[in-house]
Amino acid sequence: DALLEAVPLAVAVFDGALLLAATNARYRDLTGVDVTQAVGRSVYDAFPNALADLTEQVDIAAGGVPVVSVRVPFQYRGGRRLVEATFSPLLDARGGRGLLFAGSDITEREGLREDLARSVAQLESIFDVLPDSVRVVDAEGGTVRTNAQAQQEHAPSSPQTLRELWQLDRPRTLGGTTLFVHEHPTARALRGERVRGETLEVRRGGEPAVIEVNSNPLYDPHKRVRGAVTVERDVTERTRLQQQVQTEAERLERMVQERTRGLLALQEAASRDRRLAAVGQLAAGVMHDVNNALNPIMAAAYLLEMNADNPAAVRDYAVRIARAAETGAATAARVGRFIRQEPLLGSRENVVDLSVMVEEVVAMTRPLWQERAMGGVIKLEQRLGTDVMVRGIAGELREALLNLVQNALDAMAGGGTLRIVTQLTPTEATVSVSDTGTGMSAEVHERAFEPFFTTKGV
């Protein structure tokens, strides 16, 4: 029993009547036969989960002929296992012929073998379809393997050694220096050197060609060089084009120098044009910001007139007008500082709650939503944090938010969703405005942060 349990196989012994006499735990685990029901079971019923009929193998072994290394699939705990089984005839004490079953689980080994075979097939396919010439040599420089491209480049000759290859190619540097065989990149790799991107001129089919060579040593497990692999790429056309490009670059450089003088003469005129364009852009941007400030004022004034008998509404619309006027004043001040190139004045900054300011801007612009939606519906989604405080100029912060909201409204002709979020983190306070509108073109996105840039016209 101890011997059976120590054997790393599934083992079962059958007596002369072909009844199960002894088993080990591996057999019981493989077949699922309970230990209390194992002894006395017929050999024909001893493998209930085998996925193949073993009757023939049992009969052959019972006749005195061993059956060795039969592969049998078993259903095992919801999966399949492949077992390599052997049935050997035995003689019992009374002269009857029994059987010995020994099974080895080879599922993982066969899986690894199949994976290895697939990997080898894939590598062989990749090796042969590479557009570069690949040559593998042993430690003595003998050719071990070449791919299809290497064979094609040296057809009909088939160099079997590094020396034969060197004699066929007659390699030399682009400067014209002929290489000895020991200077060949493959020979250097056999000495443990890694060669990268070396450009050589060789003879291929009687014609000169330029190749780029990479060569790497191959090591055995003891870090000794046992060969080398060399990859050659034909760069004849690329080299020719590079030479043409260099010649053309020199010609273009001369043209550039000649034309630079003419361009310098036009530079001053172009500078004047740019200044005029900048003034026009400034004017358009300022008018856009002023319009953004006037629109809430006009809407609030209209609502103020419509609700003149409601003191609470009058106060609310008066506050909106005051906020919008403050925004317009901030625009005028910003333009002045921009023209005079003055920095922001810290004394004009106050502590501002971004969440409160968002609510003010939403209230200022809401009367315009229906008109901007052109019959659609604009939904508001806002998530405002508590005490999202920053230091800044209130009018200019309000102007920035007003521009973002009105731009979002303009982008959602036909309706959409406006989302505004404020939040406070340990390092910063943020406000984000997003919409489901048409978005910006690549050109507008590129210029979005230019001072006073607008796509709205005057």
Side-chain angles (χ1 to χ4, degrees):
D1 290 342
L3 177 61
L4 287 179
E5 292 300 332
V7 174
L9 304 171
V11 178
V13 180
F14 300 88
D15 61 18
L18 298 183
L19 300 179
L20 190 58
T23 67
N24 65 357
R26 286 185 174 83
Y27 163 83
R28 295 191 294 273
D29 183 57
L30 172 66
T31 60
V33 175
D34 186 82
V35 65
T36 61
Q37 302 173 353
V39 176
R41 182 183 288 255
S42 169
V43 67
Y44 298 103
D45 299 325
F47 307 97
N49 60 337
L51 300 178
D53 187 2
L54 299 176
T55 302
E56 181 180 356
Q57 288 79 10
V58 171
D59 291 343
I60 292 173
V65 179
V67 178
V68 181
S69 300
V70 177
R71 295 190 175 189
V72 183
F74 278 77
Q75 186 67 29
Y76 181 82
R77 297 180 183 176
R80 290 169 63 94
R81 307 295 290 183
L82 186 62
V83 175
E84 193 171 68
T86 296
F87 292 90
S88 297
L90 297 175
L91 291 177
D92 64 13
R94 292 186 295 271
R97 181 166 287 164
L99 289 178
L100 170 67
F101 164 81
S104 174
D105 190 333
I106 60 172
T107 307
E108 294 183 3
R109 186 186 73 189
E110 289 304 304
L112 291 173
R113 180 178 295 174
E114 292 175 1
D115 290 343
L116 178 60
R118 282 194 297 269
S119 297
V120 169
Q122 292 171 357
L123 290 174
E124 288 178 344
S125 298
I126 294 171
F127 185 78
D128 279 331
V129 301
L130 285 174
D132 299 334
S133 168
V134 183
R135 187 178 302 275
V136 181
V137 300
D138 58 25
E140 287 71 37
T143 300
V144 176
R145 183 164 186 175
T146 57
N147 69 345
Q149 182 65 26
Q151 296 167 11
Q152 177 183 343
E153 290 180 354
H154 290 91
S157 301
S158 181
Q160 299 302 309
T161 65
L162 174 59
R163 178 171 290 275
E164 291 178 9
L165 176 67
W166 170 76
Q167 290 172 341
L168 286 172
D169 283 350
R170 287 182 282 176
R172 61 182 183 177
T173 66
L174 294 184
T177 302
T178 300
L179 298 184
F180 292 104
V181 65
H182 69 273
E183 296 175 317
H184 193 281
T186 304
R188 289 153 54 192
L190 290 174
R191 296 195 296 271
E193 181 181 346
R194 299 177 63 188
V195 181
R196 291 290 179 270
E198 184 164 314
T199 306
L200 300 175
E201 184 177 313
V202 296
R203 304 290 296 181
R204 294 286 166 82
E207 298 293 331
V210 179
I211 60 172
E212 184 179 82
V213 186
N214 293 275
S215 192
N216 215 52
L218 299 176
Y219 297 95
D220 64 11
H222 301 290
K223 300 300 181 181
R224 292 175 295 191
V225 176
R226 290 305 185 191
V229 58
T230 299
V231 180
E232 297 176 352
R233 174 174 297 177
D234 191 320
V235 293
T236 306
E237 184 64 16
R238 188 184 75 184
T239 303
R240 183 184 64 81
L241 292 175
Q242 286 175 342
Q243 292 173 348
Q244 290 181 351
V245 168
Q246 183 176 358
T247 302
E248 183 66 13
E250 293 173 353
R251 186 182 69 84
L252 290 176
E253 184 177 0
R254 290 193 298 270
M255 292 178 59
V256 168
Q257 291 174 352
E258 293 173 359
R259 294 187 179 183
T260 299
R261 291 188 291 270
L263 291 175
L264 290 175
L266 298 175
Q267 190 175 37
E268 183 59 29
S271 179
R272 289 194 297 270
D273 291 342
R274 285 196 299 271
R275 287 195 292 270
L276 290 174
V279 171
Q281 178 179 322
L282 174 62
V286 170
M287 291 304 299
H288 171 256
D289 289 349
V290 170
N291 283 337
N292 279 348
L294 289 177
N295 286 334
I297 292 176
M298 294 171 62
Y302 171 77
L303 294 174
L304 182 63
E305 182 180 0
M306 296 296 295
N307 297 275
D309 57 348
N310 186 340
V314 168
R315 284 192 296 272
D316 179 53
Y317 296 132
V319 169
R320 297 188 192 183
I321 291 173
R323 296 298 188 193
E326 182 181 351
T327 300
T331 298
R334 182 161 60 92
V335 172
R337 289 197 305 275
F338 178 79
I339 294 174
R340 295 189 297 272
Q341 297 295 301
E342 294 179 356
L344 290 174
L345 300 180
S347 60
R348 301 179 64 246
E349 294 181 352
N350 297 306
V351 177
V352 179
D353 190 327
L354 290 179
S355 296
V356 174
M357 184 164 290
V358 167
E359 293 176 342
E360 293 175 355
V361 170
V362 169
M364 290 167 59
T365 59
R366 191 176 286 277
L368 308 172
W369 289 17
Q370 185 174 359
E371 175 186 351
R372 299 289 179 89
M374 296 183 180
V377 176
I378 295 178
K379 299 178 181 180
L380 174 64
E381 295 181 2
Q382 58 181 13
R383 188 170 70 251
L384 305 181
T386 304
D387 296 328
V388 187
M389 312 299 289
V390 297
R391 288 189 62 83
I393 300 174
E396 295 195 352
L397 291 174
R398 190 178 295 107
E399 178 188 4
L401 279 173
L402 182 64
N403 278 329
L404 290 174
V405 171
Q406 297 216 60
N407 286 344
L409 297 176
D410 290 340
M412 293 189 291
T417 301
L418 173 64
R419 298 183 182 89
I420 307 178
V421 178
T422 62
Q423 58 183 350
L424 185 65
T425 70
T427 58
E428 61 185 7
T430 61
V431 56
S432 64
V433 179
S434 60
D435 62 76
T436 58
T438 57
M440 292 186 288
S441 67
E443 180 182 0
V444 172
H445 187 273
E446 184 70 22
R447 303 184 60 193
F449 291 100
E450 292 183 11
F452 303 106
F453 170 71
T454 180
T455 60
K456 305 290 193 302
V458 179

